[in-house]
Amino acid sequence: MTARPEQPGGGRGDRPRLPVPRPGMWATVQAAVRPLLITAGLITAYYLLPLDSRGAGAASVILALGLLGVGLVFAWEIRAIMRSPYPRLRAVEALVATLALFLMLFSCAYYILDSTTTGSFNEPLTRTDALYFTLSTFSTVGYGDIVARSQAARLVTMIQMSCGLLLAGIALRVLTGAVTAGLLRKHSAEPGRTAGTDDGASDGSESSESSDDSGGPGRDVEP
Protein backbone atom coordinates (compact mmCIF):
# COMPACT_ATOMS: atom_id res chain seq x y z
CA MET A 1 0.00 0.00 0.00
CA THR A 2 1.42 3.32 -1.02
CA ALA A 3 2.20 5.66 1.88
CA ARG A 4 0.72 9.09 1.62
CA PRO A 5 3.38 11.82 1.68
CA GLU A 6 3.18 13.89 4.84
CA GLN A 7 2.64 17.59 4.30
CA PRO A 8 5.14 19.79 6.14
CA GLY A 9 3.54 21.12 9.31
CA GLY A 10 0.30 19.31 8.56
CA GLY A 11 -1.78 18.18 11.50
CA ARG A 12 0.28 20.12 14.00
CA GLY A 13 -2.10 23.03 14.34
CA ASP A 14 0.74 25.52 14.09
CA ARG A 15 -0.13 29.00 12.90
CA PRO A 16 1.97 30.15 9.94
CA ARG A 17 4.55 32.71 10.89
CA LEU A 18 4.79 35.88 8.91
CA PRO A 19 8.13 36.46 7.25
CA VAL A 20 9.96 39.31 8.97
CA PRO A 21 11.80 41.57 6.52
CA ARG A 22 15.46 41.94 7.37
CA PRO A 23 16.57 45.57 7.22
CA GLY A 24 19.79 46.49 5.50
CA MET A 25 22.73 48.21 7.09
CA TRP A 26 21.63 51.70 5.99
CA ALA A 27 18.11 51.24 7.38
CA THR A 28 19.54 50.05 10.70
CA VAL A 29 21.90 53.03 10.90
CA GLN A 30 19.05 55.43 10.17
CA ALA A 31 16.88 53.81 12.85
CA ALA A 32 19.68 54.27 15.38
CA VAL A 33 20.70 57.81 14.42
CA ARG A 34 17.28 59.45 14.00
CA PRO A 35 16.11 58.90 17.61
CA LEU A 36 19.42 60.24 18.90
CA LEU A 37 19.10 63.36 16.75
CA ILE A 38 15.50 63.91 17.86
CA THR A 39 16.45 63.53 21.53
CA ALA A 40 19.46 65.84 21.16
CA GLY A 41 17.32 68.44 19.39
CA LEU A 42 14.65 68.39 22.07
CA ILE A 43 17.21 68.70 24.89
CA THR A 44 18.93 71.58 23.10
CA ALA A 45 15.62 73.38 22.61
CA TYR A 46 14.77 72.81 26.28
CA TYR A 47 17.95 74.55 27.44
CA LEU A 48 17.78 77.38 24.89
CA LEU A 49 14.10 78.37 24.92
CA PRO A 50 13.35 81.53 26.97
CA LEU A 51 11.17 79.90 29.61
CA ASP A 52 12.02 82.34 32.41
CA SER A 53 9.88 85.17 31.04
CA ARG A 54 6.68 83.13 30.91
CA GLY A 55 3.71 84.01 33.13
CA ALA A 56 2.06 81.91 35.81
CA GLY A 57 -0.50 80.47 33.40
CA ALA A 58 2.11 79.50 30.84
CA ALA A 59 2.83 76.16 32.54
CA SER A 60 -0.77 74.97 32.21
CA VAL A 61 -1.04 76.22 28.60
CA ILE A 62 2.24 74.59 27.58
CA LEU A 63 1.26 71.39 29.35
CA ALA A 64 -2.16 71.17 27.68
CA LEU A 65 -0.86 71.99 24.20
CA GLY A 66 2.15 69.74 24.73
CA LEU A 67 0.04 66.74 25.69
CA LEU A 68 -2.09 67.34 22.61
CA GLY A 69 1.09 67.49 20.55
CA VAL A 70 2.35 64.23 22.06
CA GLY A 71 -0.92 62.55 21.10
CA LEU A 72 -0.75 63.85 17.53
CA VAL A 73 2.89 62.80 17.16
CA PHE A 74 2.06 59.35 18.51
CA ALA A 75 -0.87 58.95 16.09
CA TRP A 76 1.34 60.00 13.18
CA GLU A 77 4.01 57.52 14.26
CA ILE A 78 1.45 54.70 14.38
CA ARG A 79 0.46 55.47 10.79
CA ALA A 80 4.12 55.56 9.77
CA ILE A 81 4.77 52.18 11.43
CA MET A 82 1.93 50.52 9.52
CA ARG A 83 3.26 51.86 6.20
CA SER A 84 6.96 51.31 6.88
CA PRO A 85 8.87 48.47 5.17
CA TYR A 86 10.54 47.81 8.53
CA PRO A 87 7.80 48.23 11.18
CA ARG A 88 9.93 47.09 14.11
CA LEU A 89 12.66 49.64 13.52
CA ARG A 90 10.06 52.34 13.02
CA ALA A 91 8.38 51.36 16.30
CA VAL A 92 11.66 51.87 18.17
CA GLU A 93 12.00 55.34 16.64
CA ALA A 94 8.41 56.17 17.56
CA LEU A 95 8.85 55.07 21.17
CA VAL A 96 12.06 57.07 21.65
CA ALA A 97 10.66 60.21 20.01
CA THR A 98 7.40 60.11 21.96
CA LEU A 99 9.17 59.45 25.26
CA ALA A 100 11.70 62.27 24.72
CA LEU A 101 8.93 64.75 23.85
CA PHE A 102 6.93 63.64 26.89
CA LEU A 103 9.84 64.14 29.30
CA MET A 104 10.86 67.52 27.86
CA LEU A 105 7.26 68.71 28.10
CA PHE A 106 6.97 68.07 31.83
CA SER A 107 10.46 69.41 32.46
CA CYS A 108 9.37 72.72 30.93
CA ALA A 109 6.19 72.71 33.01
CA TYR A 110 8.07 72.13 36.27
CA TYR A 111 10.68 74.77 35.49
CA ILE A 112 8.11 77.42 34.56
CA LEU A 113 5.96 76.58 37.57
CA ASP A 114 8.88 76.93 39.97
CA SER A 115 10.19 80.15 38.40
CA THR A 116 6.77 81.86 38.51
CA THR A 117 5.40 80.49 41.81
CA THR A 118 7.77 80.61 44.75
CA GLY A 119 7.69 77.59 47.02
CA SER A 120 6.32 75.13 44.44
CA PHE A 121 9.17 72.79 45.37
CA ASN A 122 11.31 72.39 48.46
CA GLU A 123 14.22 74.07 46.63
CA PRO A 124 14.61 76.33 43.58
CA LEU A 125 14.85 74.36 40.37
CA THR A 126 17.31 74.86 37.56
CA ARG A 127 16.56 73.38 34.16
CA THR A 128 18.70 70.39 35.01
CA ASP A 129 16.87 69.98 38.34
CA ALA A 130 13.51 70.05 36.54
CA LEU A 131 14.70 67.42 34.05
CA TYR A 132 16.09 65.32 36.90
CA PHE A 133 12.79 65.50 38.80
CA THR A 134 10.89 64.53 35.64
CA LEU A 135 13.08 61.49 35.03
CA SER A 136 12.94 60.33 38.65
CA THR A 137 9.14 60.69 38.68
CA PHE A 138 8.75 58.82 35.39
CA SER A 139 11.00 55.98 36.52
CA THR A 140 9.16 55.86 39.90
CA VAL A 141 12.49 56.05 41.73
CA GLY A 142 11.57 58.97 43.99
CA TYR A 143 14.79 59.81 45.81
CA GLY A 144 13.01 62.46 47.88
CA ASP A 145 15.63 65.17 47.45
CA ILE A 146 13.23 67.27 45.34
CA VAL A 147 9.61 67.33 46.52
CA ALA A 148 6.54 69.10 45.12
CA ARG A 149 5.00 71.28 47.82
CA SER A 150 2.37 73.53 46.24
CA GLN A 151 -0.99 72.22 45.07
CA ALA A 152 -0.23 73.15 41.46
CA ALA A 153 3.11 71.32 41.49
CA ARG A 154 1.54 68.22 43.00
CA LEU A 155 -1.24 68.33 40.41
CA VAL A 156 1.25 68.45 37.54
CA THR A 157 3.19 65.61 39.15
CA MET A 158 0.06 63.47 39.36
CA ILE A 159 -0.71 64.21 35.73
CA GLN A 160 2.76 63.04 34.77
CA MET A 161 2.38 59.84 36.80
CA SER A 162 -0.95 59.05 35.14
CA CYS A 163 0.28 59.81 31.64
CA GLY A 164 3.45 57.83 32.31
CA LEU A 165 1.43 54.75 33.22
CA LEU A 166 -0.61 55.14 30.04
CA LEU A 167 2.55 55.57 28.00
CA ALA A 168 4.16 52.47 29.52
CA GLY A 169 1.06 50.30 29.15
CA ILE A 170 -1.37 51.30 26.44
CA ALA A 171 1.16 52.95 24.15
CA LEU A 172 3.40 49.86 24.08
CA ARG A 173 0.38 47.68 23.30
CA VAL A 174 -0.67 50.00 20.47
CA LEU A 175 2.86 49.99 19.07
CA THR A 176 2.92 46.19 19.12
CA GLY A 177 -0.39 46.09 17.26
CA ALA A 178 0.88 48.57 14.70
CA VAL A 179 4.00 46.44 14.09
CA THR A 180 1.82 43.35 13.54
CA ALA A 181 -0.46 45.26 11.18
CA GLY A 182 2.55 46.55 9.26
CA LEU A 183 3.96 43.03 8.85
CA LEU A 184 0.56 41.74 7.68
CA ARG A 185 0.26 44.58 5.19
CA LYS A 186 3.73 43.94 3.79
CA HIS A 187 3.13 40.20 3.58
CA SER A 188 -0.21 40.60 1.78
CA ALA A 189 1.29 43.13 -0.64
CA GLU A 190 3.87 40.63 -1.94
CA PRO A 191 2.39 39.15 -5.16
CA GLY A 192 1.78 35.41 -5.31
CA ARG A 193 3.38 34.48 -1.97
CA THR A 194 0.28 33.22 -0.16
CA ALA A 195 -1.56 32.11 -3.26
CA GLY A 196 1.40 30.15 -4.60
CA THR A 197 1.95 28.38 -1.31
CA ASP A 198 -1.69 27.38 -0.95
CA ASP A 199 -1.98 26.19 -4.56
CA GLY A 200 1.17 24.10 -4.24
CA ALA A 201 -0.06 22.49 -1.07
CA SER A 202 -3.48 21.73 -2.57
CA ASP A 203 -1.95 20.30 -5.76
CA GLY A 204 0.29 18.01 -3.72
CA SER A 205 -2.64 16.85 -1.64
CA GLU A 206 -4.80 16.15 -4.71
CA SER A 207 -2.03 14.21 -6.46
CA SER A 208 -1.40 12.03 -3.40
CA GLU A 209 -5.11 11.31 -3.02
CA SER A 210 -5.47 10.39 -6.69
CA SER A 211 -2.44 8.10 -6.37
CA ASP A 212 -4.02 6.32 -3.41
CA ASP A 213 -7.39 5.92 -5.13
CA SER A 214 -5.92 4.41 -8.27
CA GLY A 215 -3.81 1.99 -6.29
CA GLY A 216 -0.52 3.50 -7.47
CA PRO A 217 1.37 2.90 -10.73
CA GLY A 218 1.93 -0.69 -11.74
CA ARG A 219 -0.46 -2.20 -9.18
CA ASP A 220 -2.87 -4.94 -10.32
CA VAL A 221 -6.51 -4.30 -9.71
CA GLU A 222 -8.52 -7.34 -8.71
CA PRO A 223 -11.72 -7.84 -10.69
Side-chain angles (χ1 to χ4, degrees), residues 28-40:
T28 305
V29 171
Q30 285 182 327
V33 171
R34 273 199 296 256
L36 295 178
L37 293 178
I38 292 174
T39 304

Side-chain angles (χ1 to χ4, degrees), residues 177-201:
V179 170
T180 303
L183 292 174
L184 285 171
R185 182 177 179 274
K186 181 176 178 61
H187 179 65
S188 61
E190 295 180 358
R193 176 181 290 271
T194 305
T197 305
D198 295 341
D199 293 343

Side-chain angles (χ1 to χ4, degrees), residues 137-218:
T137 302
F138 178 78
S139 60
T140 66
V141 174
Y143 291 111
D145 49 352
I146 300 178
V147 180
R149 285 186 172 178
S150 67
Q151 297 298 314
R154 291 178 178 178
L155 178 62
V156 175
T157 305
M158 288 189 294
I159 293 176
Q160 184 196 346
M161 292 178 181
S162 302
C163 294
L165 291 175
L166 293 176
L167 185 62
I170 298 178
L172 289 178
R173 186 178 182 88
V174 172
L175 286 176
T176 303
V179 170
T180 303
L183 292 174
L184 285 171
R185 182 177 179 274
K186 181 176 178 61
H187 179 65
S188 61
E190 295 180 358
R193 176 181 290 271
T194 305
T197 305
D198 295 341
D199 293 343
S202 61
D203 291 343
S205 177
E206 291 175 0
S207 62
S208 86
E209 290 178 0
S210 62
S211 176
D212 291 340
D213 293 339
S214 62

